[in-house]
């Protein structure tokens, strides 16, 4: 008979954590793709120059909070504002969600990606259209021999690359890296879905997760993944990024113990109330990202209340060495994929 601890650890290993062999293969595939993209500027005269040092791997796969299945890998490909003749684009942000990139008419590679009807602007500059850059990136990805038969689609912010040989997609986001503002901060400008640009900075999300995991003696990542599985089972429509930040807020306040059941019990008590509270973007860009309506917040709170009691009962049964009943309680919380006690 398995102990409750053994059953929970097996569940996390086999149903939640990514397979290590597949993870290594995915990282190698991602790194190979980056090398191919870096070669595009030298192969095609009209492909914009890249700012290779500022490419960044982001998203839950990069933060190591991704749960099975491994279905997407995110990557920011950063372009240079300059061409080989010294012409340089500039930018202006009206707010964090709406930025414009201005390109001199003499710019050799970015000029063809601009909107013609913006030529009335002062100093003879035109506005770079993010959709056109996405289309340019999409068309040249198909020039990479290994990807010539791949499915390549343009979405709001990214180009999605799907190979039949891998179970995951690559979501490739084009970006520009800004100079420091008055507060000494740099940002990535990425497509806003409407042809313009918006600010982001995935470095802050990555740094936050790393720091919290170190503070929690390496226990935070697995805890986040376990709870993201619970979220997917009950509220798959809720943004994974929003929920991850709720868990991170909890981990900034509480220290995890060596008992996973105790940690879950304390978290569900926290979630009952935290779901109603603002969840501020750690990047300081979007403000409150908790856009759930009241009905959804109420459902999350009630589910947390129910599962808090079930986890408490599992915790009590474990203390009594009644592992069968403890495991059955965990199956009620996490579903039928949770391993049996035998």
């Amino acid at each position: 008979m398995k102990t409750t601890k053994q059953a929970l650890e097996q569940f996390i290993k086999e149903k939640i954590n990514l397979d290590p062999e597949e993870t290594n293969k995915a990282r190698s595939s991602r790194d190979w793709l980056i090398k191919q993209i870096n070669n595009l500027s030298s192969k095609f005269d009209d492909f914009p120059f890249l700012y290779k040092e500022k490419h960044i791997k982001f998203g839950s796969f990069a933060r190591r909070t991704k749960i099975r299945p491994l279905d997407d890998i995110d990557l920011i490909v950063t372009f240079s504002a300059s061409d080989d003749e010294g012409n340089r684009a500039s930018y202006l942000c009206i707010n964090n969600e709406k930025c414009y990139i201005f390109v001199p008419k003499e710019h050799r590679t970015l000029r063809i990606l601009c909107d013609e009807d913006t030529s009335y602007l002062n100093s003879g500059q035109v506005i770079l259209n993010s959709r056109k850059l996405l289309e340019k990136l999409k068309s040249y990805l198909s020039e990479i021999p290994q990807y010539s038969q791949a499915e390549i689609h343009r979405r709001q912010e990214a180009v999605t690359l799907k190979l039949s040989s891998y179970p995951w997609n690559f979501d490739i986001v084009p970006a520009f890296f800004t100079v420091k503002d008055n507060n000494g901060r740099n940002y990535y400008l990425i497509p806003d879905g409407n042809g313009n640009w918006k600010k982001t900075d995935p470095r802050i999300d990555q740094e936050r997760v790393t720091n919290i995991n170190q503070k929690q003696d390496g226990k935070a990542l697995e805890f986040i993944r376990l709870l993201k599985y619970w979220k997917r089972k009950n509220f798959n429509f809720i943004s994974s990024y929003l929920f991850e930040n709720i868990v991170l807020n909890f981990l900034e306040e509480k220290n995890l113990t060596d008992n996973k059941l105790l940690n879950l019990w304390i978290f569900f008590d926290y979630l009952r109330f935290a779901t109603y509270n603002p969840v501020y973007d750690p990047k300081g860009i979007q403000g409150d990202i908790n856009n759930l309506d009241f009905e959804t917040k109420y459902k999350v709170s009630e589910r947390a209340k129910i599962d808090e009691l079930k986890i408490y009962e599992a915790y009590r049964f474990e203390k009594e060495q009644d592992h069968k009943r403890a495991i059955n309680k965990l199956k009620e919380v996490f579903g039928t994929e949770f391993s049996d006690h035998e």
Side-chain angles (χ1 to χ4, degrees):
M1 179 181 291
K2 296 173 187 171
T3 65
T4 308
K5 180 180 179 181
Q6 288 171 337
L8 187 53
E9 288 177 347
Q10 181 180 343
F11 172 63
I12 293 171
K13 178 181 178 181
E14 296 180 357
K15 303 297 182 180
I16 297 177
N17 290 348
L18 298 180
D19 176 76
E21 184 176 339
E22 184 179 53
T23 297
N24 289 334
K25 185 184 296 184
R27 286 174 178 157
S28 296
S29 174
R30 177 191 61 192
D31 294 343
W32 187 87
L33 173 60
I34 293 172
K35 290 180 181 178
Q36 304 312 305
I37 292 174
N38 283 340
N39 290 332
L40 290 175
S41 293
S42 60
K43 289 183 177 180
F44 302 101
D45 192 54
D46 63 341
F47 192 80
F49 292 121
L50 295 166
Y51 193 172
K52 300 175 183 178
E53 296 81 6
K54 293 301 179 182
H55 295 337
I56 188 168
K57 304 156 188 174
F58 76 109
S60 58
F61 182 68
R63 294 193 301 272
R64 297 167 59 202
T65 60
K66 182 78 175 171
I67 64 174
R68 296 189 188 201
L70 176 52
D71 50 5
D72 60 71
I73 299 173
D74 300 306
L75 173 67
I76 283 181
V77 171
T78 310
F79 288 87
S80 172
S82 301
D83 65 7
D84 53 355
E85 298 175 355
N87 299 302
R88 183 175 179 83
S90 59
Y91 72 96
L92 172 68
C93 290
I94 306 302
N95 52 50
N96 292 329
E97 294 295 314
K98 190 165 187 178
C99 300
Y100 299 96
I101 295 179
F102 302 110
V103 178
K105 287 186 176 181
E106 300 77 21
H107 201 293
R108 190 172 64 79
T109 56
L110 294 181
R111 174 65 182 84
I112 59 175
L113 304 176
C114 295
D115 291 326
E116 292 298 330
D117 59 358
T118 58
S119 58
Y120 65 89
L121 290 170
N122 293 334
S123 71
Q125 294 182 324
V126 285
I127 295 178
L128 183 64
N129 188 317
S130 59
R131 291 196 187 108
K132 291 184 178 181
L133 182 55
L134 281 164
E135 286 293 343
K136 174 70 71 173
L137 180 59
K138 172 186 169 184
S139 66
Y140 279 111
L141 283 172
S142 63
E143 297 293 331
I144 299 173
Q146 288 81 350
Y147 295 146
S148 60
Q149 302 301 316
E151 294 182 30
I152 306 176
H153 307 282
R154 175 175 69 81
R155 296 192 296 106
Q156 293 286 85
E157 300 177 2
V159 173
T160 298
L161 176 64
K162 172 63 177 174
L163 282 174
S164 59
S165 54
Y166 294 130
W168 56 80
N169 298 333
F170 288 107
D171 285 334
I172 307 165
V173 180
F176 291 86
F177 190 72
T178 72
V179 297
K180 288 184 178 180
D181 62 14
N182 293 334
N183 297 316
R185 286 194 60 181
N186 307 95
Y187 297 91
Y188 285 86
L189 300 183
I190 65 172
D192 68 351
N194 298 309
N196 293 308
W197 306 83
K198 63 182 180 181
K199 291 180 179 179
T200 191
D201 192 351
R203 298 172 300 175
I204 293 177
D205 291 315
Q206 182 65 64
E207 184 178 2
R208 185 184 188 212
V209 171
T210 299
N211 290 341
I212 289 175
N213 192 50
Q214 290 174 349
K215 172 192 168 229
Q216 296 287 355
D217 296 325
K219 302 186 188 81
L221 295 177
E222 188 175 89
F223 185 70
I224 293 169
R225 291 193 291 262
L226 178 60
L227 287 166
K228 286 176 78 171
Y229 182 95
W230 175 88
K231 191 275 298 184
R232 186 174 66 190
K233 171 183 173 290
N234 294 286
F235 305 101
N236 194 36
F237 58 91
I238 294 177
S239 159
S240 185
Y241 180 73
L242 166 61
F243 188 76
E244 184 173 314
N245 274 285
I246 292 175
V247 180
L248 289 168
N249 289 346
F250 167 81
L251 292 170
E252 286 182 326
E253 295 181 19
K254 307 289 185 181
N255 290 324
L256 296 177
T257 72
D258 290 330
N259 189 307
K260 292 182 174 65
L261 294 184
L262 180 57
N263 295 332
L264 289 170
W265 177 25
I266 297 170
F267 173 77
F268 284 129
D269 179 65
Y270 169 89
L271 183 60
R272 288 170 51 199
F273 307 98
T275 186
Y276 292 108
N277 297 332
V279 180
Y280 292 106
D281 176 15
K283 300 182 292 297
I285 295 174
Q286 295 177 265
D288 181 12
I289 60 174
N290 187 356
N291 56 3
L292 303 177
D293 58 42
F294 181 82
E295 182 181 359
T296 301
K297 292 176 180 178
Y298 176 78
K299 288 179 179 178
V300 173
S301 180
E302 288 299 296
R303 172 51 57 187
K305 182 178 179 180
I306 292 169
D307 286 349
E308 176 192 1
L309 179 58
K310 292 177 179 178
I311 292 294
Y312 168 72
E313 292 174 333
Y315 176 72
R316 182 167 57 84
F317 290 141
E318 182 189 40
K319 288 291 185 184
E320 297 170 356
Q321 299 296 306
D322 191 344
H323 296 293
K324 179 177 180 179
R325 296 176 74 185
I327 290 171
N328 284 337
K329 282 297 174 183
L330 288 175
K331 289 183 72 173
E332 292 180 24
V333 174
F334 292 107
T336 55
E337 284 198 320
F338 196 92
S339 56
D340 291 328
H341 62 278
E342 297 297 340

